[in-house]
Amino acid sequence: MPAPAAAPAAPPSLDSHPLAPAALSRASVLYTDLDGTLLGPGASLLASAEGAPSLTAVRAVVDLNRAGLTCVICSGRNRWQLLEVARLLGWDSYIAEVGCVIVPGRGEAPLYFTGDWNKDALREGETPYEAITRAGALELLRRAFPGRIEEHAPWHLNREATHVLRGNVPLAEAQSALDTLELPVRIVDNGVINPPVHTLRGVAEVHAYHLIPQGVHKSDAISRDLARRGLEPADALAIGDSATDVEMADAVGLGVLVANALDDARVLEAASTRANIAATRARRGEGWAELADAWLAARSELA
Ligand SMILES: [Mg+2]
């Protein structure tokens, strides 16, 4: 039997990454994922990585806000959810639905991106979310994997561009099935979740999935947002916990992974092909605070 392929090595730690000092001292904007990154279990900002009450992440947010540094949420959540989170955190703009919806500032009209879709992919008045439904993507997956995939209620509501599902399906097979549709749709695994209720059958480990217009990546949305601000990639940092978050590094000076991201072999695989990825030593919100502290320290050395 052939030996299993060795997992790629973890990226260097933030405190020893050769690119970190210059990247941290130059950056003025941080693009941040929420779930599994800034937030603890149960999506709480007030919890440690282990779920104990903690102010560490909040303290870090306050420190960055006090320093006048810009944080932009970049998440799979819809823009109505992000509006409320941004208000709570004292932030202004956000990128929703895995890079498909940019809200440049609170109260401003959203900008939509549909990647590789043809100009006529959408019918008049139709959202990308509705087009994915019309193309039959959900029906197709339900038929191909009965009982193993369903909408991630209640988070599937009020979406405009992407669908969020939960279950456990072989990703390559699911993508092959979607490739038979006329509309190009990509399925992305957003990692393990623990939904309090679901109607899946025989699924021990539940994953969240997104159905996204083919060709849209969080990194493209970040590039567009930076261009809108008149900034260069080197003016920005990104932090996340999933393989899709690793792609954010392509649009910024330094991409950072919270330590819990390294539990996922797909994250290690994606990170191994990029030189500008560092990992924090702490998990979730405590890792986020580790980046915030390093960022502030690097900028104060500059002053
Ligand atoms: Mg996440």
Side-chain angles (χ1 to χ4, degrees):
M1 204 168 68
S13 291
L14 182 62
D15 53 22
S16 63
H17 196 294
L19 300 177
L24 292 169
S25 58
R26 171 159 173 182
S28 58
V29 182
L30 171 64
Y31 292 89
T32 178
D33 177 53
L34 286 181
D35 296 284
T37 301
L38 175 62
L39 307 180
S44 173
L45 179 68
L46 302 173
S48 73
E50 288 71 41
S54 168
L55 284 173
T56 304
V58 174
R59 192 269 306 152
V61 168
V62 171
D63 287 348
L64 294 186
N65 289 352
R66 195 177 276 143
L69 294 168
T70 301
C71 295
V72 180
I73 304 169
C74 194
S75 161
R77 295 190 185 198
N78 73 41
R79 71 179 162 106
W80 305 110
Q81 293 173 283
L82 296 193
L83 168 65
E84 288 306 329
V85 175
R87 275 154 50 91
L88 280 171
L89 297 175
W91 299 343
D92 190 45
S93 58
Y94 38 92
I95 298 170
E97 299 200 39
V98 210
C100 293
V101 182
I102 295 182
V103 179
R106 294 208 313 251
E108 289 187 47
L111 311 167
Y112 297 102
F113 299 110
T114 52
D116 301 340
W117 286 8
N118 291 331
K119 281 197 173 58
D120 56 2
L122 296 178
R123 291 181 179 170
E124 201 177 333
E126 188 179 52
T127 64
Y129 174 93
E130 291 164 339
I132 291 173
T133 307
R134 176 171 55 82
L138 299 170
E139 269 317 300
L140 178 102
L141 292 174
R142 279 196 209 104
R143 242 182 298 124
F145 307 103
R148 298 192 65 84
I149 192 157
E150 65 181 10
E151 285 181 304
H152 186 21
W155 316 115
H156 67 306
L157 300 173
N158 301 318
R159 300 186 73 86
E160 295 158 292
T162 67
H163 288 254
V164 60
L165 308 174
R166 66 187 169 216
N168 195 322
V169 296
L171 208 61
E173 269 180 55
Q175 186 60 62
S176 300
L178 291 169
D179 289 344
T180 64
L181 299 175
E182 234 168 81
L183 196 67
V185 175
R186 180 166 72 117
I187 184 167
V188 171
D189 184 335
N190 206 28
V192 176
I193 54 169
N194 297 289
V197 287
H198 63 75
T199 65
L200 301 163
R201 297 193 300 274
V203 172
E205 185 181 80
V206 183
H207 288 238
Y209 298 101
H210 285 103
L211 297 183
I212 302 172
Q214 191 73 253
V216 177
H217 298 272
K218 279 183 173 180
S219 55
D220 300 327
I222 290 173
S223 298
R224 288 167 194 259
D225 191 63
L226 282 171
R228 187 182 65 74
R229 294 170 188 273
L231 295 175
E232 305 276 324
D235 295 316
L237 308 167
I239 185 165
D241 75 316
S242 71
T244 43
D245 293 336
V246 174
E247 295 170 1
M248 295 198 288
D250 300 343
V252 300
L254 186 70
V256 178
L257 296 168
V258 283
N260 47 294
L262 308 181
D263 298 345
D264 185 339
R266 290 160 312 168
V267 169
L268 296 178
E269 189 66 50
S272 70
T273 63
R274 294 166 170 89
N276 66 333
I277 301 265
T280 64
R281 294 185 184 275
R283 302 168 72 85
R284 292 185 177 242
E286 287 142 306
W288 201 94
E290 189 180 318
L291 168 60
D293 292 345
W295 189 14
L296 289 167
R299 290 184 57 92
S300 71
E301 275 169 31
L302 208 66

